[in-house]
Amino acid sequence: MADLTPLLAFRWSPRAFDPAATLTADEAASLLEAARWAPSAGNGQPWRFALGHRDDETWKRILVNLPSDDQPWARHAAALLLGAHLTAGTAASGTTVTGVARDAGTGAAYDLGQAVAHLTVQATALGLYVRQIAGFDHAGLAADLDLPAGVRPLVVAAVGRLGDPASLPTALRAQEVGLRRRRPLADLLLR
């Protein structure tokens, strides 16, 4: 394997989170600051976040919109973070974006992915773990969080400290403690 920075080599997406650990205000600020500095086309920064700390109202609203398979482990995360992006033709103030020479919807989703990736690397640097969830009730979460028109939920990130894999159901426990695998690089290259 080629040399990787330890922040990438040791990044991992667990399901076992420590139910007693919290996310401090400084840690949350650091994660969001890393996302803020992610690259974006034309410096548009089309990402938006809703951060809920365990058991606060935002966290509860995010949790209930996750798939029932994910709720048992996600409820132990110190924080749940909704990552959303602006849809084509919207800006933070709700005004129309002009002069955008790309598909703003697809580009905004890509830029959000960059922001979440930066947040994830920063989490690793802080000794935190992030697991992303894309399959959730997008419309339900948008309604429950009263998101503005033109803001599309795309991903939820569970953030916290590593917990005990024995706390997971048997099927998930096997995945949690199993060897991490990635496709060979040759499988990822088109040419």
Side-chain angles (χ1 to χ4, degrees):
M1 178 169 72
D3 277 346
L4 287 178
T5 176
L7 294 176
L8 295 175
F10 295 112
R11 185 218 54 83
W12 177 45
S13 301
R15 287 185 183 89
F17 287 99
D18 180 347
T22 59
L23 185 68
T24 69
D26 286 345
E27 289 168 334
S30 180
L31 296 177
L32 294 170
E33 193 67 18
R36 187 172 80 92
W37 283 97
S40 67
N43 198 26
Q45 302 169 41
W47 49 76
R48 300 295 182 267
F49 297 106
L51 178 63
H53 293 267
R54 187 182 306 112
D55 294 328
D56 75 10
E57 194 60 32
T58 299
W59 183 91
K60 290 174 185 175
R61 290 175 187 220
I62 295 171
L63 184 67
V64 299
N65 284 284
L66 297 181
S68 58
D69 295 6
D70 292 328
Q71 289 181 22
W73 63 262
R75 67 185 167 88
H76 294 300
L80 295 174
L81 176 92
L82 169 67
H85 66 82
L86 301 178
T87 58
T90 60
S93 64
T95 61
T96 301
V97 175
T98 58
V100 178
R102 66 187 181 115
D103 177 347
T106 302
Y110 177 83
D111 287 356
L112 171 62
Q114 288 270 7
V116 173
H118 278 64
L119 181 147
T120 300
V121 171
Q122 184 66 19
T124 303
L126 296 174
L128 298 167
Y129 294 85
V130 176
R131 183 165 190 95
Q132 298 176 39
I133 307 160
F136 58 88
D137 183 354
H138 293 80
L141 189 49
D144 284 353
L145 292 178
D146 196 24
L147 297 181
V151 175
R152 177 181 289 159
L154 189 65
V155 65
V156 169
V159 182
R161 302 214 180 275
L162 198 56
D164 183 0
S167 68
L168 295 170
T170 305
L172 292 181
R173 189 176 322 130
Q175 292 175 21
E176 194 82 355
V177 299
L179 183 63
R180 288 178 60 202
R181 299 186 187 276
R182 288 299 212 208
R183 292 179 186 268
L185 183 56
D187 288 359
L188 305 176
L189 297 174
L190 297 172
R191 301 187 125 208

